[in-house]
């Protein structure tokens, strides 16, 4: 299924950071939601800066416009401010992109668990993201670091407990 | 030769004649006035009869509505002037335009974040139609313009700017003078303008062109594209979306791209 670009993607000045504060705010929020929906569509969880700047996301070959590295950084910082992004390394070249925040993922997973009457059962992390049972669920194929965060969020709500199973980790839902 | 009348007697006689003429003149004028107001009265009565008879068509058919409005305008009747009174009660047109006005405001507010408060009449029309649903009475662009003119009562927020063959509707109280309007008109075909285009088309000094473009940026109506070849382009989202929609339609219908 093809990705549906928003109209701004073909609007040439979208690729130039706007000087007007109000306009720039609109621009950044449009970029933020574009980045999130793009990553969601392509199931992207961790990326690095150079890679994403060269990807079609920030580089529209059809109209020959490209968002500059500095502007990409501004967009990513905006996403960080909103809680949708975390830098993995200190010099900010790799990041975790969270098109669903951990607590939102937690809700999705917990919904699946309770719908299937599997509260009080134990799962390995591998089972949850790669097992046959979760095939077709949205969280199938989720990045493990991301999964762990979501489970931590559930743990805080006392809906799950992360446990050690032999040498790997598992989770029990309540 | 008859001797010309002189002396007091002649003057008195002349005054009497003048007074008589005057009197007669007044009577004539009064007659004429009476006649005219009778005619006007009749026209009004007929118009009222016509209106009540064709109430349904006027409400339903936008073309019919335009012609009816024109007819009313020739005798100085404004069916939209107030919510009360014969006309709006008879036709419900007052309500119709108020309702439409509210819908226009809703559309403009909803789209403001992307066009900065400037929209082509055609796009506004489309959105209003979409919002009204299929069962509601049809609305023409003329109706929308009329409704917007009514909205002006609420302040300077709404304005209509003619560009090319169409109109731009402005829903934010940005100060736009003739210079700005002319530049918007220039941008209409392509969705953008540049300093040099303004200079060559309008014979302006660089400063004047820059000043106008800066103002459009400041008001959030224009976006700058500094990756364009040659010089910076100033884009109007309001105009771009209309052109972009056309482009998509052409691509989908396999037309020339």
């Amino acid at each position: 299924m093809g990705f549906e670009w928003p109209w701004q993607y073909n609007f040439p000045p979208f690729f130039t950071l706007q000087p007007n504060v109000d306009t720039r705010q609109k621009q950044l929020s449009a970029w933020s939601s574009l980045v999130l929906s793009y990553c969601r569509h392509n199931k992207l969880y961790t990326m690095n800066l150079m890679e994403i700047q060269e990807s079609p996301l920030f580089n529209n070959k059809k109209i020959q416009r490209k968002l500059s590295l500095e502007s990409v950084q501004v967009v990513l910082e905006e996403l960080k401010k909103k809680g949708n992004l975390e830098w993995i390394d200190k010099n900010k070249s790799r990041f975790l992109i969270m098109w669903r925040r951990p607590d939102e993922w937690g809700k999705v997973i917990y919904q699946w668990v309770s719908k299937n009457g599997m509260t009080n059962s134990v799962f390995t992390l591998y089972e949850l993201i790669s097992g046959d049972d979760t095939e077709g669920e949205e969280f199938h194929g989720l990045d493990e670091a991301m999964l762990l965060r979501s489970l931590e969020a559930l743990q805080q709500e006392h809906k799950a407990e992360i446990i050690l199973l032999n040498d790997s980790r598992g989770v029990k839902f309540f | 030769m008859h001797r010309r009348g002189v002396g007091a007697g002649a003057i008195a006689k002349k005054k009497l004649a003048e007074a008589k003429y005057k009197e007669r003149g007044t009577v004539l004028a009064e007659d004429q006035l009476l006649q005219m107001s009778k005619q006007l009265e009749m026209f009004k009565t007929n118009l009222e009869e016509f209106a009540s008879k064709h109430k349904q068509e006027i409400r339903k058919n936008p073309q019919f509505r335009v012609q009816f409005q024109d007819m009313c305008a020739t005798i100085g009747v404004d069916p939209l002037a107030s919510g009360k009174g014969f006309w709006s009660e008879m036709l419900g047109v007052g309500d119709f335009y108020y309702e439409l006005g509210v819908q226009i405001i809703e559309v403009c507010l909803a789209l403001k974040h992307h066009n900065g408060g400037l929209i082509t009449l055609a796009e506004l029309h489309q959105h209003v139609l979409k919002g009204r649903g299929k069962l509601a009475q049809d609305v023409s662009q003329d109706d929308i313009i009329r409704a917007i003119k009514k909205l002006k009562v609420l302040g300077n927020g709404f304005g209509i700017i003619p560009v090319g063959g169409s109109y731009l509707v402005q829903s934010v109280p940005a100060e736009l003078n003739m210079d700005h309007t002319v530049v918007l008109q220039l941008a209409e075909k392509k969705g953008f303008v540049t300093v040099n285009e303004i200079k060559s088309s309008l014979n302006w000094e660089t400063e004047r062109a820059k000043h106008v473009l800066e103002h459009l940026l400041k008001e959030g109506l224009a976006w700058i594209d500094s990756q364009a070849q040659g010089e910076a382009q100033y884009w109007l989202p309001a105009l771009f979306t209309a052109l972009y929609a056309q482009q998509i339609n052409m691509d989908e219908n396999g037309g020339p791209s």
Side-chain angles (χ1 to χ4, degrees):
Chain A
M1 208 171 59
F3 179 65
E4 205 167 300
W5 297 98
W7 68 271
Q8 289 99 331
Y9 189 65
N10 289 298
F11 186 52
F14 192 48
F15 293 80
T16 298
L17 208 55
Q18 294 303 304
N20 176 324
V21 183
D22 291 342
T23 311
R24 181 192 290 221
Q25 208 42 55
K26 285 178 204 164
Q27 183 185 24
L28 287 179
S29 88
W31 267 118
S32 300
S33 50
L34 173 56
V35 171
L36 292 178
S37 57
Y38 180 84
C39 290
R40 178 184 204 143
H41 183 263
N42 294 295
K43 298 229 166 195
L44 301 171
Y45 301 101
T46 50
M47 304 195 73
N48 79 52
L49 190 59
M50 290 312 204
E51 186 181 280
I52 202 173
Q53 198 220 355
E54 289 303 323
S55 77
L57 177 59
F58 290 119
N59 193 357
N60 184 345
K61 293 217 166 77
K62 196 176 136 206
I63 59 166
Q64 297 181 353
R65 294 291 184 277
K66 185 177 178 178
L67 202 64
S68 72
L69 197 59
E70 299 82 68
S71 307
V72 171
Q73 279 164 334
V74 175
V75 171
L76 296 183
E77 284 301 332
E78 177 77 11
L79 282 163
K80 172 148 172 44
K81 234 192 313 180
K82 287 192 191 166
N84 292 105
L85 180 143
E86 255 168 52
W87 297 106
I88 293 174
D89 57 350
K90 264 194 179 158
N91 34 4
K92 298 189 172 181
S93 64
R94 284 185 65 75
F95 56 87
L96 189 64
I97 182 88
M98 299 179 278
W99 28 277
R100 273 222 173 95
R101 289 197 316 269
D103 57 309
E104 290 170 335
W105 273 122
K107 262 191 203 119
V108 174
I109 296 170
Y110 194 77
Q111 250 169 25
W112 175 80
V113 169
S114 42
K115 203 177 71 195
N116 291 287
M118 294 200 265
T119 43
N120 282 320
S121 330
V122 175
F123 294 87
T124 62
L125 297 195
Y126 179 84
E127 263 180 306
L128 278 178
I129 47 182
S130 314
D132 296 340
D133 288 347
T134 63
E135 191 105 36
E137 295 301 323
E138 254 199 294
F139 56 87
H140 191 86
L142 190 68
D143 186 76
E144 191 171 319
M146 198 61 215
L147 174 68
L148 210 54
R149 278 162 193 268
S150 333
L151 296 178
E152 276 163 8
L154 281 179
Q155 187 163 269
Q156 291 226 317
E157 292 177 56
H158 306 293
K159 285 179 175 166
E161 192 186 336
I162 298 167
I163 46 177
L164 275 172
L165 296 167
N166 303 327
D167 50 354
S168 69
R169 265 179 291 200
V171 59
K172 184 173 180 187
F173 294 101
F174 301 111
Chain B
M1 214 172 116
H2 192 275
R3 199 165 62 95
R4 261 170 64 200
V6 285
I11 290 170
K13 210 168 146 190
K14 201 175 165 194
K15 269 199 174 157
L16 195 71
E18 264 172 16
K20 272 192 174 164
Y21 281 135
K22 216 174 176 181
E23 202 179 302
R24 186 80 195 125
T26 324
V27 171
L28 272 177
E30 266 168 10
D31 269 3
Q32 230 165 21
L33 206 64
L34 204 70
Q35 195 78 21
M36 256 162 66
S37 48
K38 254 188 196 161
Q39 274 176 0
L40 202 62
E41 200 53 49
M42 202 139 89
F43 187 46
K44 234 176 163 169
T45 321
N46 284 338
L47 196 62
E48 283 173 10
E49 253 173 49
F50 176 87
S52 60
K53 218 163 128 189
H54 296 281
K55 186 176 166 180
Q56 284 307 314
E57 281 102 309
I58 290 170
R59 287 188 57 114
K60 270 196 191 134
N61 184 341
Q63 251 179 321
F64 209 90
R65 202 154 49 231
V66 175
Q67 276 163 11
F68 177 70
Q69 294 274 10
D70 285 345
M71 246 162 47
C72 291
T74 47
I75 56 157
V77 170
D78 184 359
L80 311 180
S82 97
K84 284 180 185 166
F86 171 82
W87 292 96
S88 51
E89 267 165 38
M90 183 92 241
L91 299 170
V93 280
D95 292 345
F96 169 79
Y97 284 100
Y98 291 134
E99 198 184 291
L100 189 55
V102 172
Q103 286 162 347
I104 289 170
I105 295 176
E106 279 172 359
V107 169
C108 288
L109 280 181
L111 297 176
K112 202 166 122 185
H113 70 276
H114 109 230
N115 55 31
L118 207 59
I119 188 170
T120 59
L121 181 60
E123 197 186 350
L124 176 60
H125 184 210
Q126 263 177 19
H127 282 283
V128 167
L129 285 182
K130 218 190 286 167
R132 287 172 71 85
K134 278 179 186 140
L135 291 174
Q137 59 210 102
D138 205 3
V139 165
S140 69
Q141 296 199 354
D142 179 83
D143 289 327
I144 291 189
I145 291 182
R146 275 177 211 281
I148 290 171
K149 282 183 182 155
K150 295 288 132 194
L151 290 177
K152 278 193 179 157
V153 184
L154 302 175
N156 282 331
F158 272 83
I160 299 170
I161 306 163
V163 287
S166 180
Y167 295 95
L168 277 176
V169 176
Q170 183 197 348
S171 60
V172 287
E175 287 286 331
L176 294 185
N177 61 28
M178 274 307 290
D179 274 14
H180 305 129
T181 314
V182 177
V183 169
L184 288 179
Q185 288 166 348
L186 201 61
E188 195 220 352
K189 278 204 190 79
K190 295 189 291 181
F192 70 88
V193 279
T194 68
V195 171
N196 278 324
E197 277 173 11
I198 295 177
K199 278 169 70 182
S200 62
S201 315
L202 303 172
N203 264 328
W204 286 4
E205 300 291 320
T206 310
E207 277 313 305
R208 189 171 171 194
K210 273 192 180 159
H211 187 76
V212 168
L213 292 173
E214 286 301 321
H215 184 81
L216 292 178
L217 281 185
K218 202 189 98 212
E219 293 287 355
L221 296 175
W223 290 47
I224 188 169
D225 173 21
S226 27
Q227 289 175 56
Q229 288 228 322
E231 56 174 335
Q233 294 173 347
Y234 293 75
W235 287 77
L236 283 302
L239 297 167
F240 174 79
T241 31
L243 295 168
Y244 180 60
Q246 277 172 17
Q247 176 73 36
I248 284 182
N249 276 338
M250 275 212 291
D251 287 352
E252 276 171 1
N253 300 332
S257 63

